[in-house]
Amino acid sequence: MTAEKTAAATAVAAPPLLSIEGVHVAFGGIRAVDGVDLAIGPDEIVSVIGPNGAGKTSLFNSVTGFYRPTAGRILVSGHDVTRARPSAVAARGVCRTFQNLRLFPDLSVLDNVRAGLHLRGGQHVLDALLRTPRYRRSERQGTDEAHQWLDFVGLGADGPGAVDRAGAVRNLPYGAQRLVEIARGMAQRPRLLLLDEPAAGLNSAEKEALTDLIRRIHALGTSVVLIEHDMRLVRAVSRRVVVLNFGRKIADGRPADVWADPAVIDAYLGADPDYEGAAGGGAGAVETPERDREDSLA
């Protein structure tokens, strides 16, 4: 067998980055996620859309170890992480942002991003206590890399829009804090990045910058899955769209095909798939514990 054929066979045999197999998440008698199957491969940008309460964040929480599914399996590159802790899932190359910001408000902008490097620091407790050469080298490298990721997401230290990287992150505008959270996630060098409503609360200019940022993240070789209600952003970046309603997957395919799906139109999009606020209503917009728990866990 030639080298090309061997490489092709290996690529075909490789498992998806993420496999969600028949996952259920229930809170009492309410099924937030109801038998969802989903596979995410390399080189993908996938948007997960649907009405409020459709189970989108609950699905993210299950993948990242914040919820434990009541049934089904979740695999990352073929490794079962169904009951794994969030740190173990992150160590497999999956990281996320949150619908409600999860930064350390009193830490500096720089230290918030440095926190994303902890899985790759290579330090031990004695290194920190004794301030060994390895510790000092790791700290310098971590600081340099954190600066690079802040530059990457557009939070420069100089020029227009510059931010005080030594200042507390709580002092930044909301849109800039969103970017710090993405920079922290990218500092882990994930193979799969999950973004939970990254455009929420952003103005038009910030959304345009976010669209470009998602494309640049993808260009680094990171697959991106985002929950989003802004249909213009979804259309601009997505290669594939998945629709949830009442915890079930009702569509999965190319954006043009999904927009034309009668079930999706009825449940979520209505007549205008460009409408930014489509998420507010729809037949599936029911309240579930997903919304309540998002404030503390999402």
Side-chain angles (χ1 to χ4, degrees):
M1 181 180 288
T2 65
E4 291 82 359
K5 289 182 178 179
T6 301
T10 301
V12 170
L17 287 179
L18 175 66
S19 296
I20 299 171
E21 302 177 353
V23 165
H24 293 255
V25 177
F27 303 106
I30 297 176
R31 294 180 179 179
V33 180
D34 191 4
V36 170
D37 293 292
L38 181 63
I40 306 296
D43 194 36
E44 287 210 79
I45 303 178
V46 179
S47 289
V48 179
I49 67 173
N52 290 334
K56 304 179 298 296
T57 294
S58 290
L59 187 64
F60 268 26
N61 286 343
S62 300
V63 169
T64 52
F66 288 87
Y67 291 170
R68 288 195 172 179
T70 50
R73 290 201 311 165
I74 299 170
L75 297 95
V76 174
S77 298
H79 299 277
D80 194 330
V81 297
T82 309
R83 302 183 91 58
R85 294 177 179 271
S87 58
V89 178
R92 292 285 181 190
V94 178
C95 78
R96 68 172 295 183
T97 64
F98 294 86
Q99 184 175 332
N100 297 319
L101 290 170
R102 292 294 185 269
L103 296 171
F104 302 104
D106 295 320
L107 289 183
S108 71
V109 173
L110 188 65
D111 282 341
N112 267 274
V113 180
R114 278 164 45 94
L117 298 164
H118 74 282
L119 290 174
R120 303 191 291 107
Q123 298 179 12
H124 300 289
V125 174
L126 285 178
D127 290 319
L129 290 175
L130 301 177
R131 301 185 67 83
T132 63
R134 177 166 60 180
Y135 168 81
R136 294 194 298 271
R137 181 172 60 253
S138 177
E139 288 293 293
R140 287 194 303 270
Q141 292 172 345
T143 298
D144 290 345
E145 186 169 345
H147 280 297
Q148 291 168 8
W149 286 116
L150 286 167
D151 288 338
F152 179 80
V153 301
L155 295 177
D158 302 300
V163 301
D164 177 11
R165 296 179 177 182
V169 75
R170 68 161 67 244
N171 296 327
L172 293 184
Y174 181 81
Q177 291 188 44
R178 283 272 182 197
L179 295 178
V180 172
E181 194 173 41
I182 294 175
R184 182 180 64 188
M186 289 305 297
Q188 298 180 38
R189 298 184 187 176
R191 290 178 295 159
L192 177 61
L193 176 65
L194 309 179
L195 303 175
D196 194 346
E197 297 193 26
L202 303 187
N203 61 37
S204 296
E206 290 169 335
K207 288 178 181 178
E208 288 183 10
L210 175 64
T211 299
D212 176 69
L213 176 59
I214 291 172
R215 289 170 176 158
R216 289 189 289 113
I217 289 171
H218 177 253
L220 294 177
T222 299
S223 287
V224 180
V225 180
L226 62 149
I227 295 171
E228 189 48 68
H229 290 313
D230 188 317
M231 292 299 101
R232 291 186 180 91
L233 189 149
V234 169
R235 293 183 71 142
V237 302
S238 304
R239 297 185 174 187
R240 188 171 139 220
V241 175
V242 174
V243 187
L244 299 184
N245 191 34
F246 291 117
R248 296 179 180 178
K249 186 175 74 172
I250 63 171
D252 183 349
R254 298 182 306 166
D257 296 333
V258 170
W259 305 148
D261 189 319
V264 177
I265 294 171
D266 180 64
Y268 182 60
L269 291 178
D272 184 3
D274 280 336
Y275 176 46
E276 291 185 25
V286 297
E287 292 302 318
T288 72
E290 173 193 5
R291 271 291 168 192
D292 299 333
R293 294 183 179 225
E294 166 62 20
D295 291 335
S296 60
L297 289 175

